[in-house]
Amino acid sequence: MKFTLGWLKEHLETDASVDDIVLALTRVGLEVERLEHPGAALAAFRVARVLSATRHPQADKLQVLSVDAGDGPMQVVCGAPNARAGLVGVFGPPGAFVPGSGFELKVAEIRGVTSNGMMCSAKELELGEDHDGIIELPGDAPIGTPYPDYAGLTDPVIDVSVTPNKQDCMGVRGIARDLAAAGMGRLRPPAPVSLSVSGAGPVIATEDPDGCPAFYGQIVRGVTNGPAPEWLQRRLKAIGQKPISALVDITNYVMFDLGRPLHVYDMAKLDGGLVARQARNGESVVALNGKSYALAPGMTVIADATKVHDIAGIMGGEETGVSEATTNVLIECAYFDPETIARTGQKLMLTSDARTRFERGVDPAFLDEGLAIAAALVVELCGGTASEVTRAGTPPVTTRAIAYDPARAEALGGLAIAPERQRAILESLGFSVSTDWQVTPPSWRRDVESSPDLVEEVIRIEGIDKVPPVPLPRAPGVARPTATPDQKLERRVRRAAAARGLNEAITWSFLPEAHAAVFRGTGNFAWTLANPISEDLKVMRPALLPGLLSAAARNLKRGASSVRLFELGRRYLNDGERMTLGAVLAGNKAPRNWQSGKAQAFDAFDAKAEALALLAEAGVPTDSLQVFAGAGDAWHPGQSGTLRLGPKTVLAAFGMLHPLTLKAFDLDGAVAAVELYLDAIPAKRAGGGFMRPAYTPPPLHAVTRDFAFLVPGDLAADALVRAIRGADKKAIAAARLFDRFERDGQKSLAIEVTLQPIDNSFTDGELKAIGERVVAAAAKLGATLRG
C-alpha cells in the first residue's frame, strides 16, 4: 500500500516529520517497506526557457539552443523535433545524472559545437514513456526553479506492508486513523459531500445473495471524459499508478484513498440493466487487461441482458469500459463476499487492486457514502447530472458486542495500561465502548471477534516495545531433561544418519499430485488441499522419498557425482501423522580408481546396511528382524524388501527404486533408498532404566562350526540363519551366512555357527548334540546337510 506524505495529511492533521511517521507506522504493525524521495534524483534539474534555436552547422537534425536556466544564456545542442525559441522545459546542467539514460552530463562537443548540458524528455527523467520530444511546461513556469519543486516531486512516498487482517488500512484514511490513535496527530473529519440528484437510477439487481449481498448503482449523465486534473494525476503517479482518464482515475483515487473499490460502465455499451449473478457454463469475458477468461459456476459476475461485463470485485470488462466518447456512466458500488472473490481470483489466476481489498473485506456500511463521494467527484471533474441511487440487496452490516476486561491487557499482553487509556485507544480506532465495557467493533473491522483481539489493538497502539521483558520462571538447581522419548529417538537417529555420511535435507510437506501418486498407487490421497497456493504444493506427502528424490535430481543435474540425503519428518496418512526417516543414495558410491576400475554404484545391500545401522541406533534388536521380499509398487520388485519384527510390524523398507519411479522424478541410473518407520518401533518398557548393563567378557573361548545345507530354491537365507540361531539359544551365540552357490538347480548355503561355553568347555558329546539340533532345525525348512 503506497501513499505520499501530503496525501496522508489530507486525513491526518500533524506536524510530525516523515521519519517520525515511518517509525510510528512500524510500531503499530504497518511495517514500512520503503521510503522514497522521488525528487531527490532530479534535484539538479531546473526549469529553463529556450531563448533561441538555430540549425546546427554540421547536422540537419540537430539544433543549437540558447537556454536560460536562471544563470544567463548557455549553449546546448538538442535533437528534439519540438525544440524552439520560447519553449519552457527542463534543463540538466553539467554534473547532473540522467536516471533514464544512466549517465552523467558533461560539457561536450557535438559535431564541433560545444553543448553545456541538455534539455530533457519525460523518459530521460523517468517521468513517462514520451521520448519524441523534450518536456514542455507552461509559459509562466518560474525560470531557474528546481524542477522537483515546480512539479511537486518533493512529497515523500511511503510503502507499507499491510497484514491480511488489517483490511481497514487498505486506504489512506484507515492508515491515518491508526496514526491518530498512536498519538501522531488528529484525524480530520471527512469532507462533507454535496450532490444534487435528479432522474431515475439504473436498473440493477442481485441474483447471487451469497456472492454479492448488496449492489448499488448511480448514473451520471452528460459527462465529458478527458484527462484528470494535475493534482489527481500526480497522486496516482506517485504511487505507481498510470493515469488513464478522469472517470477511471476517480475510481482508482477513491479506492486508494478510502479503501472502497468502484467500477464505471459506459451506459451506451450496455444492453438493459445490470445484474450480479453466478457465471454459467461456457461464459467468458475479455477483461480490461485485454485477456479473455473462461468463467465457471460459483464465480460472481456482473452482466447485462446479453453477456457478462465484469468479473465481480476483481476486474471490469473491456467491452463496456469508458472512453473519450463516453457521455453517460453507471457507477457500481457493491459488497462482494471475500471468500468468493478469493476463490475466483485463484481459479482465474487474476490479481488486481480491487481483489486485494475485496478478499480482505471492505466496509459493508460504506456503500452509500462511497458511492456519493465518487459521484460527486465525477460531477465536479467531468460535469453532468447524477441520478437517484438504486439499491439491490442488503449489505451484511452486523453489530456484535464483546465483553472486555481491561485487566486482560496485562494478563495476555504483558503490559499494564490504565482502563481509561484503553478506552481512549479503542474509541480512537472507531470502537464503541459502553460503561460496563461492552465493546462494539466498527463496521470496517471484520477481523475483531473476541477479547484477545481487543488486547491486540490496545497493545499495538500503546506500543509493543513498552512490554517489559520478563524471564520465564526456572526451578532451582540443575534443569531437568524435558525431551520426550520420541524426541530422544529422533535425535539419536538423526545423529547416526549424519555420522554415516548422509546429508540432512528439509523438503516441502506438500507435493504435486503426480509425485504423491507414485507412492500411493490409487491416487486417493489422505490429505489434499482444496485451495493450494500452487498445484505443485497440493497433496500432503504420503512418504518422505518424493521430496528427497526431487532434491537428488536437482543435485545430480548440477554436477554432483554422489548424493546421500536423508530427512527426518512426518508422513501424512488417513490415521494421522507418522514420524519417518527417509534416505536416498544416488550417483556413485565410490569414484573410479586404479584399484577397482570404473565407478561403483549403490545397490540394495547398501540400502539394507543403512537401514540396519539406523535401526540398531534406535534400539531395535536387529538380530530378531525378518526380511520380507518386496516393499511396494514404487520399489524394484526383485531388489527391495522390508525389515520386520514379526510378520506384521514393518520397521523399514529398503532397496532399489522402480525404473518407473525414477522416470517420474527425471532421474537416470539406479537409486537406492530407505524409509524407517520410527513410529512402529516398540516403546521401551517402563522401568527398564537408562544405563546399559556392564560388559562382561566370556570366560571361555568360543567355538565355531560350519554347516553346509542343500536348500529349496525359494528358501531365503535369512530364514535358515534364524532357524539355526534358535536351535539352541543358550549355546549358539551367533550364526551367519558365509557362502552361497547354485548348480544343477540346487542351492547351497553355508552357515558359520558360533558356540559360546559358559561354565565349562564343550565336550565332544555336547558338540555333537548341538550339531544334531542345528541339522534338525534346518530340516524343518526343507534343508539337508550336504555330504
Side-chain angles (χ1 to χ4, degrees):
M1 174 66 192
K2 284 186 176 183
F3 57 93
T4 65
L5 180 61
W7 195 344
L8 177 68
K9 289 184 176 181
E10 292 285 328
H11 296 280
L12 182 69
E13 184 180 335
T14 181
D15 295 326
S17 67
V18 66
D19 293 332
D20 291 338
I21 287 175
V22 164
L23 290 174
L25 285 169
T26 300
R27 190 168 61 247
V28 300
L30 298 170
E31 182 182 358
V32 176
E33 294 190 331
R34 183 178 301 175
L35 174 63
E36 301 174 355
H37 294 276
L42 305 179
F45 295 84
R46 291 177 286 169
V47 177
R49 185 185 304 277
V50 178
L51 302 176
S52 64
T54 60
R55 181 176 173 274
H56 192 291
Q58 303 296 329
D60 294 337
K61 295 184 178 181
L62 297 179
Q63 296 186 78
V64 180
L65 310 180
S66 177
V67 176
D68 179 16
D71 299 326
M74 286 182 291
Q75 183 173 276
V76 175
V77 176
C78 180
N82 64 331
R84 63 188 183 276
L87 180 145
V88 178
V90 182
F91 170 71
F97 182 80
V98 184
S101 301
F103 60 81
E104 182 179 316
L105 293 173
K106 298 179 180 179
V107 177
E109 282 198 7
I110 302 176
R111 296 286 185 94
V113 177
T114 302
S115 181
N116 300 284
M118 70 181 294
M119 296 295 289
C120 303
S121 69
K123 188 172 183 179
E124 287 164 337
L125 299 185
E126 295 186 335
L127 299 174
E129 296 300 320
D130 186 9
H131 193 53
D132 295 334
I134 57 178
I135 296 172
E136 294 192 36
L137 301 177
D140 59 354
I143 305 304
T145 302
Y147 180 68
D149 294 343
Y150 169 78
L153 299 177
T154 56
D155 198 5
V157 179
I158 304 170
D159 187 2
V160 298
S161 175
V162 182
T163 53
N165 66 308
K166 288 290 291 172
Q167 66 274 356
D168 59 306
C169 288
M170 292 304 291
V172 179
R173 184 163 184 82
I175 294 172
R177 184 187 298 111
D178 271 15
L179 288 172
M184 296 306 295
R186 183 181 68 87
L187 185 67
R188 298 181 188 272
V193 178
S194 177
L195 180 65
S196 298
V197 298
S198 64
V203 177
I204 60 175
T206 177
E207 297 176 357
D208 183 13
D210 293 329
C212 179
F215 183 19
Y216 292 6
Q218 189 171 20
I219 298 173
V220 182
R221 299 179 175 91
V223 301
T224 301
N225 189 25
E230 181 63 28
W231 68 268
L232 179 51
Q233 291 193 42
R234 186 182 300 131
R235 281 193 177 167
L236 293 179
K237 288 178 181 178
I239 63 173
Q241 295 293 313
K242 181 181 179 181
I244 299 173
S245 68
L247 289 171
V248 175
D249 294 349
I250 287 169
T251 61
N252 286 334
Y253 174 73
V254 174
M255 176 174 63
F256 288 105
D257 187 51
L258 303 173
R260 160 41 68 184
L262 303 154
H263 187 61
V264 289
Y265 298 87
D266 188 332
M267 290 287 291
K269 300 175 182 178
L270 294 175
D271 183 7
L274 288 179
V275 59
R277 60 171 174 83
Q278 288 198 6
R280 300 170 184 139
N281 282 320
E283 287 188 318
S284 64
V285 63
V286 178
L288 286 171
N289 60 5
K291 297 181 180 179
S292 179
Y293 294 92
L295 306 173
M299 298 180 181
T300 303
V301 298
I302 308 297
D304 61 11
T306 57
K307 62 176 64 176
V308 173
H309 292 295
D310 188 351
I311 305 171
I314 300 178
M315 190 171 290
E318 185 178 62
E319 188 172 337
T320 54
V322 295
S323 65
E324 292 182 358
T326 299
T327 56
N328 299 325
V329 295
L330 188 157
I331 307 174
E332 166 212 304
C333 184
Y335 180 86
F336 299 109
D337 174 63
E339 288 73 21
T340 301
I341 295 298
R343 287 193 297 268
T344 300
Q346 289 168 355
K347 288 180 181 178
L348 298 179
M349 300 182 67
L350 178 60
T351 60
S352 67
D353 291 312
R355 172 191 165 185
T356 301
R357 286 157 178 80
F358 276 121
E359 69 183 359
R360 293 171 183 235
V362 300
D363 183 1
F366 193 62
L367 271 70
D368 273 309
E369 189 176 353
L371 184 56
I373 292 171
L377 278 171
V378 170
V379 172
E380 177 186 348
L381 303 181
C382 303
T385 303
S387 75
E388 298 284 347
V389 176
T390 303
R391 300 172 181 84
T394 303
V397 180
T398 57
T399 57
R400 57 190 184 282
I402 301 171
Y404 181 64
D405 180 3
R408 299 208 73 187
E410 184 175 10
L412 290 181
L415 185 60
I417 306 173
E420 289 310 309
R421 170 59 180 158
Q422 296 190 49
R423 181 187 297 273
I425 289 174
L426 292 172
E427 289 178 344
S428 66
L429 291 173
F431 293 81
S432 298
V433 185
S434 67
T435 55
D436 60 346
W437 287 98
Q438 295 293 315
V439 180
T440 303
S443 57
W444 57 81
R445 291 304 302 271
R446 68 190 286 261
D447 60 300
V448 178
E449 298 178 342
S450 60
S451 180
D453 296 327
L454 298 175
V455 172
E456 179 185 356
E457 294 301 301
V458 170
I459 296 296
R460 74 179 181 89
I461 296 299
E462 183 68 11
I464 196 170
D465 55 318
K466 295 181 181 179
V467 177
V470 179
L472 294 173
R474 178 179 176 183
V478 178
R480 296 181 179 179
T482 58
T484 65
D486 288 342
Q487 290 172 329
K488 292 178 181 179
L489 173 62
E490 292 170 22
R491 291 176 186 175
R492 289 199 304 271
V493 175
R494 177 180 281 111
R495 290 176 179 174
R500 292 185 61 80
L502 300 175
N503 298 304
E504 185 171 12
I506 299 176
T507 66
W508 293 106
S509 297
F510 299 93
L511 303 174
E513 280 187 306
H515 286 181
V518 175
F519 289 86
R520 290 288 297 275
T522 61
N524 295 322
F525 313 113
W527 305 104
T528 300
L529 298 186
N531 186 24
I533 60 174
S534 168
E535 286 298 316
D536 288 338
L537 300 172
K538 187 173 184 178
V539 178
M540 298 193 77
R541 62 188 180 195
L544 265 68
L545 294 185
L548 292 173
L549 291 174
S550 297
R554 287 192 296 270
N555 281 274
L556 292 173
K557 289 175 182 178
R558 285 161 175 77
S561 60
S562 180
V563 175
R564 304 165 187 248
L565 297 177
F566 83 94
E567 181 176 10
L568 197 63
R570 283 168 170 75
R571 297 174 295 139
Y572 300 92
L573 307 178
N574 282 318
D575 55 354
E577 303 177 13
R578 300 295 183 183
M579 179 54 67
T580 307
L581 182 141
V584 166
L585 308 173
N588 298 330
K589 177 172 68 173
R592 61 181 182 176
N593 60 62
W594 63 270
Q595 192 173 23
S596 61
K598 63 181 181 179
Q600 300 176 31
F602 292 102
D603 57 28
F605 294 104
D606 296 312
K608 182 181 180 183
E610 297 295 337
L612 289 172
L614 296 175
L615 287 174
E617 189 64 31
V620 174
T622 53
D623 288 344
S624 302
L625 293 177
Q626 296 176 251
V627 179
F628 284 71
D633 294 338
W635 302 78
H636 196 296
Q639 301 178 36
S640 65
T642 57
L643 294 172
R644 309 189 185 194
L645 272 177
K648 294 183 178 180
T649 306
V650 181
L651 299 186
F654 70 90
M656 308 304 291
L657 293 174
H658 197 286
L660 292 178
T661 300
L662 302 182
K663 184 178 179 180
F665 291 89
D666 198 19
L667 280 163
D668 296 324
V671 175
V674 176
E675 270 200 337
L676 262 61
Y677 310 122
L678 302 182
D679 61 294
I681 296 176
K684 192 174 183 180
R685 293 181 180 177
F690 294 96
M691 295 183 62
R692 295 179 180 177
Y695 173 68
T696 304
L700 301 172
H701 288 292
V703 178
T704 60
R705 289 290 186 269
D706 296 341
F707 296 85
F709 296 95
L710 293 175
V711 301
D714 59 349
L715 179 64
D718 175 73
L720 180 61
V721 171
R722 283 188 289 105
I724 290 174
R725 191 185 298 124
D728 190 329
K729 295 181 179 180
K730 183 177 179 181
I732 298 177
R736 70 179 186 89
L737 176 73
F738 71 88
D739 189 28
R740 174 187 183 279
F741 77 88
E742 294 185 22
R743 187 175 63 186
D744 299 332
Q746 291 185 314
K747 181 167 69 173
S748 171
L749 300 177
I751 310 296
E752 179 188 80
V753 179
T754 302
L755 308 176
Q756 179 60 59
I758 304 299
D759 298 323
N760 299 298
S761 298
F762 291 120
T763 64
D764 290 341
E766 290 172 335
L767 292 175
K768 181 179 179 182
I770 293 172
E772 290 173 349
R773 286 194 287 271
V774 168
V775 173
K780 293 180 180 179
L781 300 178
T784 58
L785 191 65
R786 200 175 78 205

